[in-house]
Amino acid sequence: MENFDYVIVGAGSAGSVLANRLSEDERTTVCVLEAGPSDWHPFIHIPAGFMYTLVNPRVNWLYTSEPSAWTGGRRIAAPRGKTLGGSSSINGHIYNRGQRLDFDGWAQRGNRGWGYADVLPYFRRTERRLVPEADPTFRGSDGNLPITDLEWRDPLCEAFIEGAVQMGIPRNRDYNGAQQAGVSYVQRIIQNGRRVSAARGYLHPAMKRRNLTVRTHAHATSLMFEGNRAIGVHYRKGGRDGAAVEVRANKEVILSGGAVNSPQLLQISGVGPGPLLRSLGIEVKHELAGVGENLRDHYAPRFVARVKGAPTINEKSHGLRLVGEVLRYAVSRKGILSLNPTLIYVFWKSDPAVDNYDLQFTFTPASYKEGVQSTLDDFPGMTIASWQQRPDSIGYVRSKSADPFAAPTIQPNYLAAESDRRVLLAGMKIARKLICSPPLQKYYDREEFPGVQAQSDEDLMTAAKQRGTTTFHLMGTCRMAPDSDPTAVVDDQLRVRGLESLRVVDASIMPTMPSANLNASVLMLAEKAADMIRGKPALEAVTLKD
Ligand SMILES: Cc1cc2nc3c(=O)[nH]c(=O)nc-3n(C[C@H](O)[C@H](O)[C@H](O)COP(=O)(O)OP(=O)(O)OC[C@H]3O[C@@H](n4cnc5c(N)ncnc54)[C@H](O)[C@@H]3O)c2cc1C
């Protein structure tokens, strides 16, 4: 058995940040257990390689969610990264923080120190914004992760933006600045045509340190306790049939396995809802009703239109043109291989009367077979997706057995809340206007999906059921909340309630969904947690004008 001060389970977005920050103190020893392999595969680093990593079992847990009424009884793929960098090694590269009111909402729920003014310095600490005019109130300049603007320009994207502007949606120079609302090209964690995952930005630079040990192919199977104190982790080296190993934590065990695996590891270790654990024959060490509950995700239907008069990514991805693109990327790191899945973002309101921007849209001059993002259509196509930013529908992650290698039940209950369906419907109507706006008319051939015959609210909801997909933002399953909340799993220092020397630091602690893709917020919360764990004072809150 080996001993370290800290044992971190999972080398994903959060685990990579923690590994780096905790090992900055050379008197401290840190061990990271990662179930997946090293991140050597070239398709992790080439931006368009997401189409490969999205479906590859070597670097992806390849979960699926349970069927539900509003997915038309479909199971929906729920990919999760399984390699150094975790989901930041297979994600869509987008950098998007959310709105001020998201984090003020976290604080208003009784989570001290998590308001926007408190978290903004940690967002800044993660990033190196490589744009000269970045506003230093909001943007960082010397963090670990380079945030760049998309340089790609094409007639379809330009026409799409012009169309949005004509509909009254203003251009926004920086949706991660003072205001999120508007239309703009995306900001990405890509530099010189290569993905910068949390592993590349945080973990690999720290792996030179002698006090940091990173174990790959190390699947944590249960937590070790002495009374109420977490003292270490059991893991298997190389999978189910591999050697059983124990690693001890002198100070703390930190779970950074992500929104699916952290609650599962707690549950199979006897920490979770008593009735569930008993039904699985798991001895209850510590009853915590909220473990695995409060799951939320973004659910996005897509409109696809056939394009005329301008090339789309679809044709460039086939035959000789693809060969040309590969050569172009090899020489200049430019072209379609340097692109992420969506190129333009719009943040807008479902209704002028609502007081916040509750809709997000993404546009790309490409389209995917059956809406699944791993195979492009053979015809020239463009796609717009829309989703409700802060969903009310709540689901769960529940172990199906005590077996740590068995996938748990993932039930997001997409669109179960009437409010989500109402906002989504409004979003679909706006999306349809955006994809055939007057400036796009010269390129718009016809609507492929759902097709112009789908006009009524019922038709649109049928389309949402047929082809809606996740946008990969599972969160909330080890919710941070005050004691008074029966679903609380961690306190505002991210310590598991009722236990000692055990924290959860990953997307699962988020109390509610930020109006954003999640990676930026996970990086932020891991930076903040690192200061808590090291006993350092929090970075000074920013003074913001109202
Ligand atoms: C396909 C996809 C596209 C996305 N696109 C974007 C995007 O463009 N922009 C954005 O902001 N967000 C995006 N996201 C979401 C974002 O990347 C994730 O929310 C974020 O990376 C989650 O970070 P995490 O630290 O919570 O978990 P993860 O990064 O998933 O890390 C968890 C790590 O723990 C390891 N692990 C789990 N269980 C065990 C165990 N038992 N033992 C050992 N190791 C274990 C996993 O293998 C993994 O490496 C996307 C996600 C996916 C999956």
Side-chain angles (χ1 to χ4, degrees):
M1 182 172 358
E2 289 178 291
N3 272 275
F4 297 87
D5 291 325
Y6 299 102
V7 176
I8 301 169
V9 177
S13 296
S16 296
V17 174
L18 288 176
N20 183 311
R21 292 297 177 211
L22 298 184
S23 65
E24 272 176 353
D25 178 352
E26 56 191 32
R27 294 161 305 174
T28 296
T29 54
V30 180
C31 175
V32 185
L33 303 176
E34 169 53 49
S38 187
D39 57 344
W40 63 269
H41 202 290
F43 283 167
I44 291 176
H45 307 288
I46 299 170
F50 74 88
M51 290 177 68
Y52 163 88
T53 56
L54 207 54
V55 290
N56 191 292
R58 287 187 190 187
V59 295
N60 192 326
W61 293 84
L62 294 182
Y63 292 131
T64 50
S65 61
E66 295 298 305
S68 65
W70 291 97
T71 64
R74 288 174 305 136
R75 289 179 187 277
I76 293 179
R80 302 275 92 196
K82 186 180 186 182
T83 178
L84 297 184
S87 297
S88 77
S89 287
I90 69 161
N91 73 9
H93 316 259
I94 299 290
Y95 186 77
N96 180 19
R97 293 176 178 175
Q99 297 173 24
R100 181 173 176 172
L101 61 85
D102 299 326
F103 305 99
D104 287 343
W106 291 9
Q108 281 154 13
R109 287 167 172 269
N111 301 302
R112 295 159 304 170
W114 290 92
Y116 185 62
D118 306 302
V119 301
L120 181 51
Y122 288 99
F123 274 119
R124 288 193 310 215
R125 191 160 93 180
T126 61
E127 71 164 346
R128 199 162 67 250
R129 177 78 172 124
L130 298 173
V131 172
E133 68 273 23
D135 178 349
T137 307
F138 296 96
R139 307 309 303 258
S141 54
D142 55 6
N144 290 49
L145 295 171
I147 312 297
T148 53
D149 283 345
L150 179 72
E151 288 165 9
W152 176 270
R153 295 291 178 270
D154 75 15
L156 286 165
C157 289
E158 292 291 307
F160 177 86
I161 291 181
E162 189 48 39
V165 171
Q166 286 185 12
M167 280 171 61
I169 301 172
R171 288 173 201 263
N172 186 349
R173 278 291 305 137
D174 185 3
Y175 60 78
N176 291 308
Q179 289 295 332
Q180 190 189 49
V183 57
S184 59
Y185 285 99
V186 295
Q187 296 175 21
R188 326 185 295 163
I189 319 186
I190 289 179
Q191 190 173 21
N192 300 328
R194 309 240 319 154
R195 175 194 296 279
V196 187
S197 66
R200 273 194 69 207
Y202 280 92
L203 189 64
H204 286 297
M207 280 166 76
K208 299 186 192 95
R209 299 177 189 149
R210 293 171 60 145
N211 58 336
L212 174 63
T213 302
V214 177
R215 297 265 149 82
T216 50
H217 299 288
H219 189 131
T221 52
S222 65
L223 304 177
M224 296 157 62
F225 289 98
E226 219 167 60
N228 270 351
R229 184 161 175 264
I231 56 162
V233 179
H234 295 280
Y235 72 92
R236 291 248 170 202
K237 184 79 194 144
R240 185 189 285 279
D241 300 323
V245 188
E246 288 178 10
V247 61
R248 285 239 178 196
N250 302 329
K251 291 187 175 162
E252 287 193 25
V253 173
I254 304 158
L255 304 188
S256 298
V260 175
N261 291 38
S262 286
Q264 183 193 20
L265 186 58
L266 283 169
Q267 289 168 2
I268 60 181
S269 304
V271 180
L276 171 71
L277 303 192
R278 281 187 282 274
S279 73
L280 301 175
I282 298 170
E283 184 198 339
V284 181
K285 291 210 174 62
H286 178 63
E287 182 147 2
L288 261 185
V291 174
E293 303 301 303
N294 189 46
L295 176 68
R296 298 178 203 224
D297 192 12
H298 288 131
Y299 185 76
R302 293 175 167 81
F303 284 85
V304 174
R306 195 176 273 259
V307 170
K308 61 182 185 190
T312 72
I313 293 171
N314 294 6
E315 308 90 88
K316 293 180 184 169
S317 312
H318 293 105
L320 277 179
R321 292 174 97 171
L322 178 59
V323 176
E325 289 292 338
V326 171
L327 291 173
R328 185 176 175 199
Y329 183 78
V331 172
S332 67
R333 296 266 162 85
K334 293 196 181 345
I336 62 166
L337 270 67
S338 71
L339 295 179
N340 45 303
T342 53
L343 306 189
I344 294 176
Y345 268 10
V346 178
F347 301 97
W348 204 238
K349 291 181 178 190
S350 59
D351 181 329
V354 298
D355 59 2
N356 62 63
Y357 292 88
D358 53 358
L359 283 171
Q360 180 170 347
F361 303 85
T362 65
F363 174 78
T364 192
S367 63
Y368 301 92
K369 286 198 165 106
E370 299 288 309
V372 178
Q373 281 178 307
S374 53
T375 329
L376 288 155
D377 281 321
D378 301 322
F379 58 82
M382 56 184 172
T383 306
I384 185 165
S386 55
W387 63 84
Q388 138 82 311
Q389 296 233 67
R390 289 177 289 274
D392 295 321
S393 304
I394 294 175
Y396 52 82
V397 169
R398 293 180 189 153
S399 299
K400 284 187 190 140
S401 75
D403 177 359
F405 293 94
T409 300
I410 302 170
Q411 175 50 280
N413 281 324
Y414 292 119
L415 302 183
E418 190 279 329
S419 52
D420 291 352
R421 300 198 292 276
R422 182 169 26 85
V423 175
L424 189 77
L425 196 54
M428 290 177 80
K429 291 175 185 173
I430 297 171
R432 184 175 254 164
K433 285 189 189 144
L434 282 165
I435 205 170
C436 62
S437 68
L440 265 173
Q441 275 299 321
K442 63 180 166 197
Y443 306 117
Y444 176 89
D445 185 351
R446 63 173 185 269
E447 192 175 291
E448 280 288 331
F449 185 83
V452 286
Q453 76 288 350
Q455 287 298 332
S456 67
D457 289 1
E458 201 186 336
D459 293 341
L460 292 177
M461 288 316 291
T462 301
K465 277 184 185 176
Q466 285 171 335
R467 286 250 194 122
T469 59
T470 173
T471 61
F472 318 113
H473 302 151
L474 299 169
M475 46 69 63
T477 47
C478 296
R479 178 187 223 173
M480 168 172 68
D483 247 346
S484 52
D485 183 334
T487 66
V489 175
V490 297
D491 66 11
D492 53 24
Q493 301 292 300
L494 311 190
R495 295 172 296 213
V496 176
R497 292 191 168 280
L499 295 172
E500 289 167 33
S501 306
L502 182 62
R503 289 188 216 235
V504 183
V505 180
D506 59 27
S508 55
I509 68 98
M510 297 183 184
T512 55
M513 179 73 90
S515 350
N517 318 53
L518 290 190
N519 197 31
S521 301
V522 173
L523 300 163
M524 170 280 286
L525 69 85
E527 283 277 13
K528 191 164 164 57
D531 279 355
M532 293 171 178
I533 295 165
R534 295 175 72 181
K536 294 177 82 172
L539 295 179
E540 195 177 331
V542 176
T543 308
L544 290 161
K545 292 190 208 102
D546 279 334

